[in-house]
Amino acid sequence: MRTLSGVQSSGRLHIGNYYGAMRQFVQLQDQGEAYYFIANYHALTTVRDPKLALELTRDAALTYLSLGLDPKKAVLFRQSDVKEVVELYWILGTVVPQSNLERAHSYKDKVAQGISPDFGLFAYPVLMAADILLYSADAVPVGKDQIQHIEFARDWAVKFNTQYVPGYDPADPEGKERGHAPGILKLPAAHLQESAATVPGIDGRKMSKSYGNTLELFGEEKDIKKRIMSIKTDSTPVEAPKPTQDAPLYDLLKLMLPASEFADVDATWKAGGKGYGDYKKKLLEAFHTTFGPARQRHAELLADPGEVERILQDGAQRARAEATRLMDQVRRAVGIP
């Protein structure tokens, strides 16, 4: 099985990225082929500072590697290092109905957040589909809110194959039945992350770079402490039981502590007798216990940028071999020499 996913280099990565996706990415590298890319073309929809764009791309690579991605097991590369993705983006776009893009959840959500509705944002799902289809991925790990992207990729792959592959039957996409031809573009499946955590931010909303409520994985220690100590709580007295609903501090403790340790916290939380300050200190300890080794690895990699670049170039070469193979077929199919 070939798994593919990416992370957009549009901001500092945080614990929501880890628990929501990246932890699973690292686990999946032991379950078959794994391709992971840094989506720096996608990031251009929001990052318009070239120096910052380069810095955030490097930061995403450092994060992957620091959290345990093994470049001997997985292919790690920058999206922009494989130029074929832009070519497939355009060719695929010629069969994409405008109505699909108009109903894309990602487009409507970003516009609702006040992001300018430019072409890059509007056509974002086409580039995402090209990312997936270019490497003939079998599975794409996604949360429930991203399933539409996989559905689009499948629908557009069928449209392309139906248009350009003689003998292709959408009911038999792999061409297993006699007289049917397999499609050039493979239909990916969504690898639904049922257990993926929705991580609360320090203000109680979902943790998100756009809300500014994150705990950065590799932020400065003093900033991490400051943000943990500022987590939103209510005015429940020290001696009273604490509420467990709409309680981001409680949810973060449950997420980060081992089950046995959280059981003790849960008991005192519900019984009363401890203040929120004590629990915030406990969360700070849990943060450093959980991410201390990764933060140390991050510091080591930061001091050796040449090694990080070598890993990315090697990953790009491996990814490009797959991309070239597919694009040779696509070009022949559409009549481009």
Side-chain angles (χ1 to χ4, degrees), residues 35-100:
Y35 282 63
Y36 297 124
F37 66 94
I38 300 159
N40 55 340
Y41 279 145
H42 285 292
L44 294 176
T45 59
T46 54
V47 180
R48 304 293 168 81
D49 180 330
K51 183 178 180 182
L52 179 61
L54 286 168
E55 187 178 327
L56 292 175
T57 298
R58 182 198 62 175
D59 185 64
L62 286 168
T63 299
Y64 265 123
L65 296 168
S66 300
L67 292 173
L69 197 75
D70 185 346
K72 294 179 181 178
K73 296 179 180 179
V75 180
L76 177 64
F77 60 101
R78 281 178 293 244
Q79 181 185 34
S80 61
D81 281 340
V82 184
K83 307 303 182 185
E84 287 83 357
V85 73
V86 180
E87 186 177 9
L88 182 58
Y89 168 51
W90 178 257
I91 294 173
L92 185 64
T94 64
V95 300
V96 171
Q98 180 178 327
S99 60
N100 285 179

Coordinates of all heavy atoms in Angstrom, one line a residue, residues 35-100:
Y35 N 4.8 8.4 1.2 CA 5.2 9.6 0.6 C 4.6 10.8 1.3 O 3.4 11.0 1.4 CB 4.7 9.7 -0.9 CG 5.5 8.8 -1.9 CD1 5.6 7.5 -1.7 CD2 6.2 9.4 -2.9 CE1 6.3 6.7 -2.6 CE2 7.0 8.6 -3.8 CZ 7.0 7.2 -3.6 OH 7.7 6.5 -4.5
Y36 N 5.5 11.7 1.8 CA 5.1 12.9 2.5 C 5.7 14.1 1.9 O 7.0 14.2 1.8 CB 5.4 12.8 4.0 CG 4.7 11.6 4.7 CD1 5.4 10.6 5.4 CD2 3.3 11.5 4.6 CE1 4.8 9.6 6.0 CE2 2.7 10.4 5.2 CZ 3.4 9.5 5.9 OH 2.8 8.4 6.5
F37 N 4.9 15.1 1.6 CA 5.5 16.3 1.0 C 5.1 17.6 1.8 O 4.2 17.6 2.5 CB 5.0 16.4 -0.5 CG 3.5 16.7 -0.6 CD1 3.0 18.0 -0.7 CD2 2.6 15.6 -0.7 CE1 1.7 18.2 -0.9 CE2 1.3 15.8 -0.8 CZ 0.8 17.1 -0.9
I38 N 5.9 18.6 1.6 CA 5.7 19.9 2.2 C 5.1 20.8 1.1 O 5.6 21.0 0.1 CB 7.1 20.5 2.7 CG1 7.7 19.6 3.7 CG2 6.8 21.9 3.3 CD1 9.2 19.8 3.9
A39 N 3.8 21.1 1.4 CA 3.0 21.8 0.4 C 3.3 23.3 0.3 O 2.5 24.1 0.7 CB 1.5 21.5 0.7
N40 N 4.5 23.6 -0.3 CA 4.8 25.0 -0.3 C 4.2 25.8 -1.5 O 4.1 27.0 -1.5 CB 6.4 25.2 -0.3 CG 7.1 24.4 -1.5 OD1 6.5 23.5 -2.0 ND2 8.3 24.8 -1.8
Y41 N 3.7 25.1 -2.5 CA 2.8 25.7 -3.5 C 1.5 26.1 -2.9 O 1.0 27.3 -3.1 CB 2.6 24.8 -4.7 CG 3.7 24.7 -5.8 CD1 3.9 23.6 -6.4 CD2 4.4 25.9 -6.1 CE1 4.9 23.5 -7.4 CE2 5.4 25.8 -7.1 CZ 5.7 24.6 -7.7 OH 6.7 24.5 -8.7
H42 N 0.9 25.2 -2.2 CA -0.4 25.5 -1.5 C -0.2 26.7 -0.5 O -1.1 27.5 -0.4 CB -0.8 24.3 -0.7 CG -1.4 23.2 -1.5 ND1 -2.6 23.3 -2.2 CD2 -0.9 22.0 -1.8 CE1 -2.8 22.2 -2.9 NE2 -1.8 21.4 -2.6
A43 N 0.9 26.8 0.1 CA 1.1 27.8 1.1 C 1.1 29.2 0.5 O 0.9 30.2 1.2 CB 2.5 27.6 1.9
L44 N 1.4 29.3 -0.8 CA 1.4 30.6 -1.4 C 0.1 31.3 -1.4 O 0.0 32.5 -1.6 CB 1.9 30.5 -2.8 CG 3.4 30.1 -3.0 CD1 3.7 29.9 -4.5 CD2 4.3 31.1 -2.3
T45 N -1.0 30.6 -1.1 CA -2.3 31.2 -1.0 C -2.4 32.2 0.2 O -3.3 33.0 0.2 CB -3.4 30.2 -0.9 OG1 -3.2 29.4 0.2 CG2 -3.5 29.3 -2.2
T46 N -1.5 32.0 1.2 CA -1.6 32.8 2.4 C -0.2 33.4 2.7 O -0.2 34.5 3.4 CB -2.1 32.0 3.6 OG1 -1.3 30.8 3.8 CG2 -3.5 31.6 3.4
V47 N 0.9 32.8 2.3 CA 2.2 33.3 2.7 C 2.8 34.1 1.5 O 3.1 33.5 0.5 CB 3.2 32.2 3.1 CG1 4.5 32.7 3.5 CG2 2.6 31.4 4.3
R48 N 2.9 35.4 1.6 CA 3.4 36.2 0.5 C 4.8 36.8 0.7 O 5.2 37.6 -0.1 CB 2.3 37.3 0.2 CG 0.9 36.8 -0.1 CD 0.9 36.0 -1.4 NE -0.4 35.2 -1.5 CZ -1.5 35.7 -1.9 NH1 -1.6 37.0 -2.2 NH2 -2.6 34.9 -2.1
D49 N 5.4 36.4 1.8 CA 6.7 36.9 2.2 C 7.7 35.8 1.8 O 7.7 34.8 2.4 CB 6.8 37.2 3.7 CG 8.2 37.7 4.1 OD1 9.2 37.3 3.5 OD2 8.2 38.5 5.1
P50 N 8.6 36.1 0.7 CA 9.5 35.0 0.3 C 10.4 34.5 1.3 O 10.7 33.3 1.3 CB 10.2 35.7 -0.9 CG 10.1 37.1 -0.7 CD 8.8 37.3 0.0
K51 N 10.9 35.3 2.1 CA 11.9 34.9 3.2 C 11.1 34.0 4.2 O 11.7 32.9 4.6 CB 12.5 36.1 3.9 CG 13.5 35.7 5.0 CD 14.1 37.0 5.6 CE 15.1 36.6 6.7 NZ 15.7 37.8 7.3
L52 N 9.9 34.4 4.5 CA 9.1 33.6 5.5 C 8.7 32.3 4.8 O 8.7 31.2 5.5 CB 7.9 34.4 5.9 CG 7.0 33.7 6.9 CD1 7.7 33.3 8.2 CD2 5.7 34.5 7.2
A53 N 8.4 32.3 3.6 CA 8.0 31.1 2.9 C 9.1 30.0 2.9 O 8.9 28.8 3.2 CB 7.6 31.4 1.4
L54 N 10.4 30.5 2.7 CA 11.5 29.6 2.7 C 11.7 29.0 4.2 O 12.0 27.8 4.4 CB 12.8 30.3 2.3 CG 12.9 30.5 0.8 CD1 14.1 31.5 0.5 CD2 13.1 29.2 0.0
E55 N 11.6 29.9 5.1 CA 11.8 29.5 6.5 C 10.7 28.5 7.0 O 11.0 27.5 7.6 CB 11.7 30.8 7.4 CG 12.0 30.6 8.8 CD 12.0 31.9 9.6 OE1 12.3 33.0 9.1 OE2 11.6 31.8 10.8
L56 N 9.5 28.7 6.6 CA 8.4 27.8 7.0 C 8.5 26.5 6.3 O 8.2 25.4 6.9 CB 7.0 28.5 6.7 CG 6.7 29.7 7.6 CD1 5.4 30.3 7.1 CD2 6.6 29.3 9.1
T57 N 9.0 26.5 5.1 CA 9.2 25.2 4.4 C 10.3 24.4 5.1 O 10.1 23.2 5.3 CB 9.6 25.5 2.9 OG1 8.6 26.2 2.3 CG2 9.9 24.2 2.2
R58 N 11.4 25.0 5.4 CA 12.4 24.4 6.2 C 11.9 23.9 7.5 O 12.2 22.8 8.0 CB 13.6 25.3 6.4 CG 14.8 24.7 7.1 CD 15.7 25.7 7.7 NE 15.0 26.6 8.7 CZ 15.6 27.5 9.4 NH1 16.9 27.7 9.2 NH2 15.0 28.2 10.3
D59 N 11.1 24.7 8.2 CA 10.6 24.4 9.5 C 9.7 23.1 9.4 O 9.7 22.2 10.3 CB 9.7 25.5 10.0 CG 9.3 25.3 11.5 OD1 10.1 25.2 12.4 OD2 8.0 25.2 11.7
A60 N 8.9 23.0 8.4 CA 8.0 21.8 8.2 C 8.9 20.5 8.0 O 8.6 19.5 8.6 CB 7.1 22.0 7.0
A61 N 10.0 20.6 7.3 CA 10.9 19.5 7.1 C 11.5 19.1 8.4 O 11.6 17.9 8.8 CB 12.0 19.8 6.1
L62 N 12.0 20.1 9.2 CA 12.6 19.8 10.5 C 11.6 19.1 11.4 O 11.9 18.3 12.2 CB 13.0 21.1 11.1 CG 14.3 21.8 10.5 CD1 14.5 23.2 11.0 CD2 15.5 21.0 10.9
T63 N 10.3 19.6 11.3 CA 9.3 19.0 12.2 C 9.1 17.5 11.9 O 9.0 16.7 12.8 CB 8.0 19.8 12.1 OG1 8.2 21.1 12.5 CG2 6.9 19.2 12.9
Y64 N 8.9 17.2 10.6 CA 8.7 15.8 10.2 C 9.9 15.0 10.8 O 9.6 13.9 11.4 CB 8.7 15.7 8.7 CG 7.4 15.7 8.0 CD1 7.1 16.7 7.0 CD2 6.4 14.8 8.3 CE1 5.9 16.7 6.4 CE2 5.2 14.8 7.6 CZ 4.9 15.7 6.7 OH 3.7 15.7 6.0
L65 N 11.1 15.4 10.5 CA 12.3 14.6 10.9 C 12.4 14.5 12.4 O 12.8 13.5 12.9 CB 13.5 15.2 10.2 CG 13.5 15.1 8.7 CD1 14.6 16.0 8.1 CD2 13.6 13.7 8.2
S66 N 12.1 15.6 13.1 CA 12.3 15.6 14.5 C 11.3 14.7 15.2 O 11.6 14.1 16.3 CB 12.1 17.1 15.1 OG 13.1 17.9 14.5
L67 N 10.1 14.6 14.6 CA 9.1 13.7 15.2 C 9.2 12.2 14.9 O 8.4 11.4 15.4 CB 7.7 14.2 14.8 CG 7.3 15.6 15.3 CD1 6.0 16.0 14.6 CD2 7.1 15.6 16.8
G68 N 10.2 11.9 14.1 CA 10.5 10.5 13.9 C 10.3 10.0 12.5 O 10.5 8.7 12.3
L69 N 10.1 10.8 11.6 CA 10.0 10.4 10.2 C 11.4 9.9 9.7 O 12.4 10.7 9.9 CB 9.5 11.5 9.2 CG 9.0 11.0 7.9 CD1 7.7 10.3 8.0 CD2 8.9 12.1 6.9
D70 N 11.5 8.7 9.2 CA 12.8 8.1 8.8 C 12.9 8.2 7.3 O 12.1 7.5 6.6 CB 12.8 6.6 9.3 CG 14.2 6.0 9.0 OD1 15.0 6.5 8.3 OD2 14.4 4.9 9.6
P71 N 13.8 9.0 6.8 CA 14.0 9.1 5.3 C 14.4 7.8 4.6 O 14.3 7.7 3.4 CB 15.0 10.2 5.2 CG 15.8 10.2 6.5 CD 14.8 9.8 7.5
K72 N 14.8 6.8 5.4 CA 15.1 5.5 4.8 C 13.8 4.7 4.6 O 13.8 3.8 3.7 CB 16.1 4.7 5.7 CG 17.4 5.4 5.8 CD 18.3 4.6 6.7 CE 19.7 5.2 6.8 NZ 20.6 4.5 7.8
K73 N 12.8 5.0 5.3 CA 11.5 4.3 5.2 C 10.5 5.1 4.4 O 9.7 4.6 3.6 CB 10.9 4.1 6.6 CG 11.7 3.2 7.5 CD 11.0 3.0 8.8 CE 11.8 2.1 9.8 NZ 11.1 2.0 11.1
A74 N 10.5 6.4 4.5 CA 9.5 7.3 3.9 C 10.2 8.3 2.9 O 11.4 8.6 3.1 CB 8.7 8.1 4.9
V75 N 9.4 8.7 1.9 CA 9.9 9.7 1.0 C 9.4 11.1 1.4 O 8.2 11.3 1.5 CB 9.4 9.4 -0.4 CG1 9.9 10.4 -1.4 CG2 9.8 8.0 -0.9
L76 N 10.4 11.9 1.8 CA 10.0 13.3 2.2 C 10.6 14.3 1.2 O 11.8 14.3 0.9 CB 10.7 13.6 3.6 CG 10.5 15.0 4.2 CD1 9.0 15.3 4.5 CD2 11.3 15.1 5.5
F77 N 9.7 15.2 0.7 CA 10.2 16.1 -0.3 C 9.3 17.4 -0.3 O 8.2 17.4 0.3 CB 10.1 15.4 -1.7 CG 8.7 15.0 -2.1 CD1 7.9 15.7 -3.0 CD2 8.2 13.8 -1.6 CE1 6.6 15.3 -3.4 CE2 6.9 13.4 -2.0 CZ 6.1 14.1 -2.9
R78 N 9.9 18.4 -1.0 CA 9.1 19.6 -1.2 C 8.2 19.5 -2.4 O 8.7 19.0 -3.4 CB 10.1 20.8 -1.4 CG 10.7 21.4 -0.1 CD 11.7 22.5 -0.5 NE 12.8 22.0 -1.2 CZ 14.1 22.0 -0.8 NH1 14.4 22.5 0.4 NH2 15.1 21.5 -1.5
Q79 N 7.0 19.9 -2.3 CA 6.1 19.9 -3.4 C 6.7 20.6 -4.7 O 6.6 20.1 -5.8 CB 4.8 20.6 -3.0 CG 3.7 20.7 -4.0 CD 2.5 21.5 -3.5 OE1 2.7 22.5 -2.8 NE2 1.3 21.1 -3.9
S80 N 7.4 21.7 -4.5 CA 7.9 22.5 -5.6 C 9.1 21.8 -6.3 O 9.5 22.3 -7.3 CB 8.3 23.9 -5.1 OG 9.3 23.8 -4.1
D81 N 9.7 20.8 -5.6 CA 10.9 20.1 -6.3 C 10.4 19.1 -7.3 O 11.3 18.6 -8.0 CB 11.7 19.4 -5.2 CG 12.6 20.4 -4.4 OD1 12.9 21.5 -5.0 OD2 13.0 20.1 -3.3
V82 N 9.1 18.9 -7.4 CA 8.6 18.0 -8.5 C 7.7 18.8 -9.4 O 6.5 18.9 -9.1 CB 7.9 16.8 -7.8 CG1 7.5 15.8 -8.9 CG2 8.8 16.1 -6.8
K83 N 8.3 19.3 -10.4 CA 7.6 20.3 -11.3 C 6.4 19.6 -12.0 O 5.5 20.3 -12.5 CB 8.5 20.9 -12.3 CG 9.8 21.6 -11.7 CD 9.4 22.6 -10.7 CE 10.7 23.3 -10.1 NZ 10.4 24.2 -9.1
E84 N 6.4 18.3 -12.2 CA 5.4 17.6 -12.9 C 4.0 17.9 -12.2 O 3.0 17.7 -12.9 CB 5.7 16.1 -12.9 CG 6.8 15.7 -13.9 CD 8.2 15.9 -13.3 OE1 8.3 16.3 -12.2 OE2 9.1 15.5 -14.0
V85 N 4.0 18.2 -10.9 CA 2.7 18.4 -10.3 C 2.0 19.6 -10.8 O 0.7 19.6 -11.0 CB 2.9 18.6 -8.7 CG1 3.5 19.9 -8.4 CG2 1.5 18.4 -8.0
V86 N 2.7 20.6 -11.3 CA 2.1 21.8 -11.9 C 1.5 21.4 -13.3 O 0.4 21.9 -13.6 CB 3.1 22.9 -12.0 CG1 2.4 24.2 -12.6 CG2 3.6 23.3 -10.6
E87 N 2.2 20.6 -14.0 CA 1.7 20.2 -15.3 C 0.4 19.3 -15.2 O -0.5 19.6 -15.9 CB 2.8 19.3 -16.0 CG 2.4 19.0 -17.4 CD 3.5 18.2 -18.2 OE1 4.5 17.8 -17.5 OE2 3.4 18.0 -19.4
L88 N 0.4 18.4 -14.2 CA -0.8 17.6 -14.0 C -1.9 18.5 -13.5 O -3.1 18.3 -13.9 CB -0.5 16.5 -13.0 CG -1.7 15.5 -12.8 CD1 -2.2 14.9 -14.1 CD2 -1.3 14.4 -11.8
Y89 N -1.6 19.4 -12.7 CA -2.6 20.4 -12.2 C -3.3 21.1 -13.3 O -4.6 21.1 -13.3 CB -1.8 21.4 -11.3 CG -2.5 22.7 -10.9 CD1 -3.7 22.6 -10.3 CD2 -1.9 23.9 -11.1 CE1 -4.3 23.8 -9.8 CE2 -2.5 25.1 -10.6 CZ -3.7 25.0 -10.0 OH -4.3 26.2 -9.6
W90 N -2.6 21.5 -14.3 CA -3.3 22.2 -15.4 C -4.1 21.2 -16.3 O -5.2 21.4 -16.6 CB -2.3 22.9 -16.3 CG -2.9 23.5 -17.5 CD1 -3.0 23.1 -18.8 CD2 -3.8 24.7 -17.5 NE1 -3.8 23.9 -19.6 CE2 -4.3 24.9 -18.8 CE3 -4.1 25.6 -16.4 CZ2 -5.1 25.9 -19.1 CZ3 -5.0 26.6 -16.8 CH2 -5.5 26.8 -18.1
I91 N -3.5 20.0 -16.6 CA -4.1 19.1 -17.5 C -5.4 18.5 -16.8 O -6.5 18.4 -17.4 CB -3.2 17.9 -17.8 CG1 -2.0 18.4 -18.7 CG2 -3.9 16.8 -18.5 CD1 -1.0 17.4 -19.0
L92 N -5.3 18.2 -15.5 CA -6.4 17.7 -14.8 C -7.5 18.8 -14.7 O -8.7 18.5 -14.8 CB -6.0 17.3 -13.3 CG -7.1 16.7 -12.5 CD1 -7.5 15.4 -13.0 CD2 -6.5 16.5 -11.0
G93 N -7.1 20.1 -14.6 CA -8.0 21.2 -14.5 C -8.9 21.3 -15.7 O -10.0 21.9 -15.6
T94 N -8.5 20.8 -16.8 CA -9.3 20.9 -18.0 C -10.5 20.0 -18.0 O -11.4 20.2 -18.9 CB -8.5 20.6 -19.3 OG1 -8.0 19.2 -19.2 CG2 -7.3 21.5 -19.4
V95 N -10.6 19.1 -17.1 CA -11.8 18.2 -17.0 C -12.6 18.5 -15.7 O -13.5 17.8 -15.4 CB -11.4 16.7 -17.1 CG1 -10.7 16.4 -18.4 CG2 -10.6 16.3 -15.9
V96 N -12.2 19.5 -14.9 CA -12.8 19.8 -13.6 C -14.0 20.7 -13.8 O -13.8 21.9 -14.3 CB -11.8 20.4 -12.6 CG1 -12.5 20.9 -11.4 CG2 -10.8 19.3 -12.3
P97 N -15.2 20.4 -13.4 CA -16.3 21.3 -13.5 C -16.2 22.5 -12.6 O -15.8 22.3 -11.4 CB -17.5 20.4 -13.2 CG -17.1 19.0 -13.3 CD -15.6 19.0 -13.0
Q98 N -16.5 23.6 -13.0 CA -16.4 24.8 -12.2 C -17.4 24.7 -11.0 O -17.0 25.1 -9.9 CB -16.9 26.1 -13.0 CG -16.8 27.3 -12.1 CD -17.2 28.6 -13.0 OE1 -16.9 28.6 -14.2 NE2 -17.8 29.5 -12.4
S99 N -18.5 24.0 -11.2 CA -19.4 23.8 -10.1 C -18.8 23.1 -8.9 O -19.2 23.3 -7.7 CB -20.7 23.1 -10.6 OG -20.4 21.8 -11.1
N100 N -17.9 22.1 -9.2 CA -17.2 21.4 -8.1 C -16.4 22.4 -7.2 O -16.5 22.3 -6.0 CB -16.3 20.4 -8.6 CG -17.0 19.1 -9.2 OD1 -16.3 18.2 -9.7 ND2 -18.3 19.1 -9.2

